[in-house]
Amino acid sequence: MTTIQIDHVSRWFGNVVAVNDITMTIGPGVTGLLGPNGAGKSTLINMMGGFLAPSGGTVTLDGRAIWRNERIYRDIGIVPEREAMYDFLTGREFVVANAELHGLGRDAARRALATVEMEYAQDRKISTYSKGMRQRVKMASALVHDPSVLLLDEPFNGMDPRQRMQLMELLRRMGDEGRTVLFSSHILEEVEQLASHIEVVVAGRHAASGDFRKIRRLMTDRPHRYLIRSDDDRALAAALIADPSTAGIEVDLQEGALRVQAVDFPRFTALLPRVARDHGIRLLTVSPSDESLESVFSYLVAA
């Protein structure tokens, strides 16, 4: 159960504050790190990977300081966003070099290349690789020592749909094995499909943490929106709008449903089944229409 603890961490570059007093815990499973461009995601990952020192606070791996502690690299694999690679090497030579840095041999490199399905191009020079292939060979070098922690900064950049699916399945499998996987991505659909837990950073500050659906339900200052179908929409609308938990109702003729805004989530969730029962109305569909990760993210960024 390997855990990264970020405790009141700040990082500034001259007069620019990139990360401001962030505390979070990254544990086993797959965690998505979200934030707009310039929010501080890469800075956080670089501090977790030991590339940057915190200006304030501490970053630890199972209680061990990460900064200037080379032993933590036995446990951590890193896939940086930067494209800096040794283009004159073949993919195999690059991964073997990383294996040797860990005291491992060619078998470890062969297994890592097979894991990311890069055997077919392992003897080509990296200079001939597409961006997606470069991402995969970086992934192989990060996996060569079988780390318990994997840190990935925008790992899906440049990958085609098939490569994305393969990487998503690999990360999902690693999370299921109990490894600690953290990845940043600006593609919300990928985060929604893959991450069991999200951490959101906005303007260098920690904005939210947890399952995004639970985060949405805690946003009591935002009306909750529902798409509701029933066998008597008119009677249902009249009964719901009479209660203070409901702020507004629209009839969506195209969908054949009601679009309801609820300002008191707990009261509304108790009200709806009671109204249906008391008025003999059959509920056909009750679907939250703003509990997607995209909705939650847009609310957090706009806050």
Side-chain angles (χ1 to χ4, degrees):
M1 298 287 286
T2 305
T3 301
I4 294 177
Q5 181 67 48
I6 298 169
D7 189 17
H8 295 287
V9 164
S10 297
R11 172 71 199 198
W12 49 85
F13 301 91
N15 294 325
V16 177
V17 179
V19 170
N20 192 349
D21 194 29
I22 286 181
T23 295
M24 65 174 68
T25 300
I26 310 298
V30 181
T31 297
L33 181 62
L34 284 175
N37 288 338
K41 303 186 300 297
S42 293
T43 300
L44 271 174
I45 289 175
N46 284 335
M47 287 190 286
M48 291 184 223
F51 296 150
L52 279 177
S55 301
T58 58
V59 184
T60 58
L61 178 69
D62 290 341
R64 295 171 288 158
I66 289 177
W67 176 244
R68 291 184 173 172
N69 179 6
E70 68 276 4
R71 293 189 177 185
I72 61 102
Y73 294 111
R74 296 175 182 172
D75 301 308
I76 293 179
I78 305 168
V79 180
E81 184 181 16
R82 296 190 311 276
E83 277 298 309
M85 299 177 73
Y86 297 102
D87 284 0
F88 60 89
L89 297 177
T90 65
R92 188 210 305 264
E93 289 169 341
F94 178 70
V95 179
V96 167
N98 280 278
E100 290 175 346
L101 288 173
H102 288 284
L104 304 171
R106 292 178 177 270
D107 283 346
R110 179 183 50 77
R111 286 192 297 270
L113 285 161
T115 298
V116 300
E117 300 186 12
M118 278 292 287
E119 306 106 302
Y120 75 96
Q122 63 186 0
D123 293 319
R124 285 171 49 187
K125 290 192 182 297
I126 293 173
S127 60
T128 69
Y129 283 4
S130 67
K131 185 171 178 62
M133 294 168 70
R134 286 169 175 258
Q135 291 290 86
R136 288 158 69 193
V137 83
K138 283 195 293 185
M139 185 78 181
S141 70
L143 293 175
V144 74
H145 58 299
D146 199 26
S148 58
V149 177
L150 192 60
L151 305 174
L152 308 100
D153 196 357
E154 297 286 354
F156 299 102
N157 276 359
M159 290 190 173
D160 63 33
R162 179 175 172 273
Q163 292 168 346
R164 279 198 183 99
M165 288 178 62
Q166 290 171 342
L167 180 55
M168 289 177 73
E169 180 55 37
L170 174 61
L171 297 183
R172 191 177 290 116
R173 186 166 70 246
M174 293 180 70
D176 290 344
E177 291 171 355
R179 305 195 204 203
T180 298
V181 179
L182 174 83
F183 75 101
S184 70
S185 176
H186 65 281
I187 302 173
L188 296 180
E189 182 182 358
E190 291 168 349
V191 180
E192 189 167 4
Q193 292 178 19
L194 183 57
S196 57
H197 183 98
I198 66 166
E199 300 287 347
V200 183
V201 179
V202 178
R205 292 184 177 274
H206 196 195
S209 175
D211 179 274
F212 65 86
R213 296 171 189 87
K214 293 180 180 177
I215 293 170
R216 174 64 186 99
R217 288 163 196 163
L218 292 172
M219 293 178 177
T220 55
D221 59 328
R222 299 273 183 176
H224 289 255
R225 296 181 174 88
Y226 293 89
L227 183 74
I228 301 176
R229 294 184 179 90
S230 74
D231 62 359
D232 192 343
D233 287 346
R234 186 181 297 273
L236 180 62
L240 291 177
I241 200 64
D243 190 271
S245 67
T246 306
I249 297 179
E250 296 178 8
V251 178
D252 189 326
L253 296 176
Q254 187 173 5
E255 291 282 347
L258 301 175
R259 293 193 176 274
V260 180
Q261 289 192 49
V263 291
D264 185 336
F265 175 73
R267 182 183 174 102
F268 180 80
T269 55
L271 170 73
L272 180 60
R274 187 174 70 246
V275 164
R277 181 195 64 209
D278 293 348
H279 291 77
I281 299 170
R282 184 182 176 196
L283 297 174
L284 305 175
T285 301
V286 179
S287 175
S289 58
D290 67 342
E291 281 197 3
S292 68
L293 180 55
E294 183 176 0
S295 297
V296 172
F297 184 67
S298 64
Y299 288 156
L300 289 168
V301 171

